[in-house]
Amino acid sequence: MKITKLLGVAATAVVATGALVTGTPAAASSESSNTALLNSEMVPALQRDLGLTAGQALARIQSETAAGTLEQSLASTLAGSFGGASYNEATGKLRVGVTDAAKLDQVRASGAEAELVAFSASQLDSTVDKLNAGERNADGAITGWGVDTKTNRVTLSILEGGSGSVNSFLEKTGVDRSTVSVVETTSVPTLKYDVRGGDAYYINNSSRCSIGFSVNGGFLTAGHCGPGTVTGSNRVAMGSFARVSFPTNDYGHVRVNSNWVPRGIINNGTRVSGSNVAATGASVCKSGSTTGWTCGTVGAKNQTVRYAEGTVYGMTATNVRSQAGDSGGSFIAGNQAQGMLSGGNSSVTYFFPVRPALSATGTSLVLG
């Protein structure tokens, strides 16, 4: 199935300009260049997350691109005296550190801001290399390290109260202690996993079902899969059922922990962009953890299904193929979410519509 993704109004307006506005982030101007915008979703995201106007976002993209090009040039010409660089969002310029005062004017002449620093980029990289080589000697309280060009130091992060192990680690690695800055943190880094429609999850480390659709803070699935605690397809702790409605309905709402990020996609890459109800006879596809991606057509709606475990009302029939373990999986028509797989027999598969499940759980779809 070929999916066509429609751009949002704001993104479409940006693409229509065909150019990036020049100038600093603080002052968007009407000047333009022929630089094409590579990702139409970038400007709206910058507006939302950095508090910029569309013009400021476009101007920032262009000035950051120019700063990156200038950094590569200066790193080459300054060689051993190059002390790293960072983007100054207040001025829209590149800030460059140099260890040789005689080269400050050279940096300024290029259009960048210049700062005299103690350590070269190669010295700081060497410190990181030594820490990496001695990584096995690091105490569990040490959560990581890396170069911070803004402070011209290698920043080593450690959990609060664990600073006693730092000196021993640094001594074993043989690094120059003056190149390292220690900062405390309140939490350890953790891997992030995507919540995607159609992926498997396990209930109470036993039975398996499938994710329906990502919603804010979790996902919707079949109610008959719950209740209980949930682990992902990788067997990593995922969360637990916040609400189960079965029988009468067949929907469940799972809240996920901070290791999991709900995404507005199905696990084959299909994006979810809404929940417009497909007409009877329209094509529809399903993603489930047993049979994968299967398609068919929407049949009769408002169906009452009498399972041995209880009766469910208001379901939609399809001729889409499914098997055990697909329960809860995503039914989608084009890019529009339709519902979560409930059950069926050898010729009919039923899904519970997503809209009443969203309304009942007070959740909203995460869109892709």
Side-chain angles (χ1 to χ4, degrees):
M1 176 181 293
K2 183 177 180 181
I3 304 300
T4 301
K5 182 175 181 298
L6 300 179
L7 298 175
V9 175
T12 305
V14 170
V15 172
T17 67
L20 296 179
V21 180
T22 60
T24 64
S29 73
S30 60
E31 299 175 9
S32 64
S33 73
N34 293 322
T35 307
L37 183 63
L38 298 179
N39 183 344
S40 62
E41 297 178 352
M42 184 179 293
V43 170
L46 286 171
Q47 289 180 251
R48 180 194 65 220
D49 297 335
L50 298 186
L52 304 174
T53 66
Q56 288 171 338
L58 289 166
R60 178 159 180 165
I61 292 170
Q62 187 168 29
S63 62
E64 288 172 344
T65 300
T69 302
L70 180 58
E71 178 180 355
Q72 293 179 43
S73 175
L74 289 174
S76 177
T77 58
L78 293 172
S81 62
F82 178 68
S86 61
Y87 180 75
N88 186 342
E89 60 181 306
T91 63
K93 293 185 177 182
L94 184 71
R95 179 187 291 134
V96 179
V98 291
T99 58
D100 183 355
K103 296 186 177 181
L104 289 171
D105 288 339
Q106 177 185 345
V107 173
R108 295 186 182 111
S110 72
E113 299 170 352
E115 179 183 9
L116 188 64
V117 296
F119 304 104
S120 68
S122 60
Q123 284 177 294
L124 297 179
D125 287 339
S126 176
T127 295
V128 171
D129 289 342
K130 290 179 179 179
L131 294 175
N132 290 346
E135 187 270 337
R136 291 186 178 181
N137 296 313
D139 183 89
I142 298 174
T143 63
W145 51 80
V147 174
D148 181 358
T149 56
K150 289 185 178 181
T151 63
N152 192 233
R153 294 291 187 278
V154 170
T155 298
L156 185 146
S157 299
I158 189 164
L159 293 175
E160 291 180 342
S163 58
S165 62
V166 171
N167 289 334
S168 174
F169 174 55
L170 295 180
E171 287 175 5
K172 290 179 180 179
T173 58
V175 301
D176 179 351
R177 182 66 173 79
S178 64
T179 64
V180 178
S181 175
V182 178
V183 296
E184 290 192 338
T185 181
T186 58
S187 60
V188 298
T190 58
L191 293 174
K192 300 295 183 182
Y193 307 99
D194 287 344
V195 176
R196 308 178 307 172
D199 278 349
Y201 69 92
Y202 296 88
I203 306 94
N204 298 324
N205 289 314
S206 177
S207 57
R208 171 173 57 85
C209 278
S210 302
I211 294 170
F213 296 96
S214 290
V215 296
N216 47 308
F219 63 87
L220 295 181
T221 185
H224 73 263
C225 292
T229 58
V230 172
T231 55
S233 58
N234 54 3
R235 296 291 189 169
V236 172
M238 194 175 200
S240 61
F241 277 87
R243 182 168 180 177
V244 169
S245 184
F246 178 84
T248 303
N249 305 295
D250 194 4
Y251 65 81
H253 172 211
V254 173
R255 287 200 184 100
V256 298
N257 60 41
S258 59
N259 291 338
W260 293 83
V261 181
R263 303 292 190 191
I265 59 173
I266 307 304
N267 59 4
N268 69 346
T270 301
R271 296 181 181 274
V272 179
S273 60
S275 59
N276 294 335
V277 179
T280 296
S283 62
V284 67
C285 294
K286 172 236 84 213
S287 185
S289 60
T290 300
T291 57
W293 185 254
T294 57
C295 299
T297 56
V298 176
K301 300 179 181 180
N302 195 20
Q303 298 292 292
T304 298
V305 181
R306 302 183 68 221
Y307 297 120
E309 296 81 2
T311 301
V312 179
Y313 304 92
M315 294 219 281
T316 297
T318 75
N319 59 359
V320 176
R321 180 170 56 88
S322 67
Q323 293 181 14
D326 286 330
S327 288
S330 337
F331 270 85
I332 191 165
N335 293 113
Q336 302 298 312
Q338 299 300 306
M340 293 75 65
L341 194 151
S342 173
N345 54 37
S346 59
S347 59
V348 181
T349 293
Y350 299 96
F351 67 78
F352 189 82
V354 70
R355 283 191 166 186
L358 290 169
S359 177
T361 57
T363 58
S364 56
L365 289 172
V366 175
L367 304 181

